[in-house]
Amino acid sequence: MLRNQLRTPLTTFIRKTIPQSISLQSLEENITQLKNQPNFSTPSPCTFNTNAQTRVSRNPQIHLIWNSEFRGKSSGFCSSASSTTCCWNCKSQGPFLICQSCGSIQAVDHSVDYFNIFGLDRKFDIEAGSLEGKYKDWQKKLHPDLVHTKSEEEREYAAEQSARVIDAYTTLRKPLSRAIYIMRLEGVEVDEEQTVSEPELLGEIMEIREAVEDANDSRALNQIQSKMDEKLSHWYNSFANAFQSKEYDDAIKSIQRMTYYQRVKEEIVKKL
């Protein structure tokens, strides 16, 4: 009888051992595909020890089927073979700054970009309100007064995470730094200090700066500032369109103009 049990077909064996909630048809199709591979082997015969106990050799390829088809569906915990980020404390999948399962503060993960931190799509146009609200939420959760009971390691994590959230907020809040950062995420470095060799643009900037220097009251300065806002708005839209179309040369051109006009605005603010 034992010999007949050991000769039970593989699919029948699996039917008796896996949970009923898993699709047997899907699993059997995967087994059929694996059988067609040159390195596929069925479970080896049982071996017997002196106590007449049986031991069935496990086929590692069955484990691979389970992982590839059902990983993450039956539980929310990471396995050793999973590439998903795991909480260092409870091993839950996908913790972000703070584990939602156990509340443990996580170490900084530099693969998480600034847009991910605030739950934003990676695009130039963002809503300032959503950025501000999420920033305050993270700062409250990572505030030293709220983590003082944590371990020393978690307090260090909190300080590092808080600094990163501040940097992310500062970068994304301003259109110019946001444009430079999002280009960097695409693998395109932008040199802010590169001089533009366009006589028309350089002449325009010189005239504007002279107007700022000659302005004697806040009214004149505010008028110049309004013009700079209009020009910046134009080049913000120009950058957004170029970036979306992956026309990176035009995107860089927009950033260079944004840089010049932004510096004029900073000069005006100093004088106001």
Side-chain angles (χ1 to χ4, degrees), residues 15 29 50 73 92 95 116 140 154 184 192 199 240 265:
R15 284 179 184 271
E29 290 176 354
T50 55
K73 295 182 181 180
S92 293
N116 293 146
K140 288 177 182 178
E154 283 189 83
R184 187 177 302 146
E192 299 177 71
K265 280 196 65 175

Side-chain angles (χ1 to χ4, degrees), residues 200-215 220-221 223-232 235 257 260-268 271:
E200 184 177 350
L201 175 62
L202 296 176
E204 178 191 5
I205 296 299
M206 288 181 63
E207 289 181 6
I208 295 172
R209 284 178 170 167
E210 288 175 1
V212 172
E213 292 178 3
D214 295 340
L221 289 171
Q223 288 179 345
I224 300 172
Q225 190 174 41
S226 295
K227 292 181 179 178
M228 295 303 98
D229 287 336
E230 291 176 3
K231 289 182 178 294
L232 283 169
W235 288 109
R257 281 150 181 76
Y260 277 105
Y261 294 128
Q262 183 61 42
R263 287 175 179 172
V264 172
K265 280 196 65 175
E266 292 171 358
E267 292 176 9
I268 293 173
K271 196 169 180 180

Side-chain angles (χ1 to χ4, degrees), residues 9 14 38 54 59 66 96 106 128 132 157 159 163 175 179 187 206-207 211:
I14 294 174
T54 60
N59 185 354
W66 182 278
F96 179 69
Q106 306 298 302
E132 185 81 19
Y157 288 162
M206 288 181 63
E207 289 181 6

Side-chain angles (χ1 to χ4, degrees), residues 50-271:
T50 55
N51 296 323
Q53 295 177 340
T54 60
R55 176 174 59 86
V56 180
S57 300
R58 297 180 182 270
N59 185 354
Q61 305 229 27
I62 299 302
H63 180 68
L64 292 177
I65 296 173
W66 182 278
N67 278 346
S68 62
E69 290 296 319
F70 307 108
R71 183 174 56 211
K73 295 182 181 180
S74 58
S75 70
F77 295 93
C78 297
S79 66
S80 59
S82 173
S83 60
T84 305
T85 303
C86 301
C87 172
W88 60 267
N89 183 44
C90 70
K91 307 305 179 186
S92 293
Q93 290 185 358
F96 179 69
L97 272 72
I98 299 175
C99 179
Q100 298 299 316
S101 297
C102 68
S104 298
I105 300 172
Q106 306 298 302
V108 170
D109 182 358
H110 290 282
S111 68
V112 177
D113 64 50
Y114 290 171
F115 291 92
N116 293 146
I117 288 176
F118 297 108
L120 300 171
D121 294 331
R122 189 186 290 185
K123 60 181 182 179
F124 178 70
D125 295 322
I126 63 175
E127 295 182 8
S130 60
L131 179 66
E132 185 81 19
K134 192 63 177 178
Y135 168 71
K136 291 180 179 179
D137 288 343
W138 280 128
Q139 285 302 90
K140 288 177 182 178
K141 292 177 180 178
L142 297 169
H143 194 279
D145 291 344
L146 297 179
V147 300
H148 70 281
T149 59
K150 299 283 188 179
S151 65
E152 181 179 355
E153 185 177 30
E154 283 189 83
R155 291 198 300 271
E156 292 178 358
Y157 288 162
E160 294 170 359
Q161 294 283 25
S162 180
R164 183 165 170 79
V165 168
I166 292 172
D167 188 38
Y169 173 72
T170 304
T171 300
L172 299 185
R173 183 171 63 89
K174 300 177 180 179
L176 178 57
S177 56
R178 182 166 71 243
I180 294 172
Y181 178 71
I182 200 172
M183 288 284 281
R184 187 177 302 146
L185 292 180
E186 295 296 315
V188 181
E189 291 292 334
V190 180
D191 184 3
E192 299 177 71
E193 304 301 325
Q194 183 178 358
T195 302
V196 177
S197 57
E198 295 184 24
E200 184 177 350
L201 175 62
L202 296 176
E204 178 191 5
I205 296 299
M206 288 181 63
E207 289 181 6
I208 295 172
R209 284 178 170 167
E210 288 175 1
V212 172
E213 292 178 3
D214 295 340
N216 297 320
D217 54 38
S218 59
R219 182 171 178 272
L221 289 171
N222 286 329
Q223 288 179 345
I224 300 172
Q225 190 174 41
S226 295
K227 292 181 179 178
M228 295 303 98
D229 287 336
E230 291 176 3
K231 289 182 178 294
L232 283 169
S233 179
H234 167 78
W235 288 109
Y236 292 161
N237 292 332
S238 177
F239 172 82
N241 293 332
F243 179 80
Q244 186 174 5
S245 303
K246 299 188 180 299
E247 297 173 353
Y248 296 140
D249 288 340
D250 290 340
I252 292 175
K253 178 181 176 181
S254 298
I255 288 178
Q256 290 172 338
R257 281 150 181 76
M258 289 157 60
T259 302
Y260 277 105
Y261 294 128
Q262 183 61 42
R263 287 175 179 172
V264 172
K265 280 196 65 175
E266 292 171 358
E267 292 176 9
I268 293 173
V269 171
K270 289 179 182 178
K271 196 169 180 180

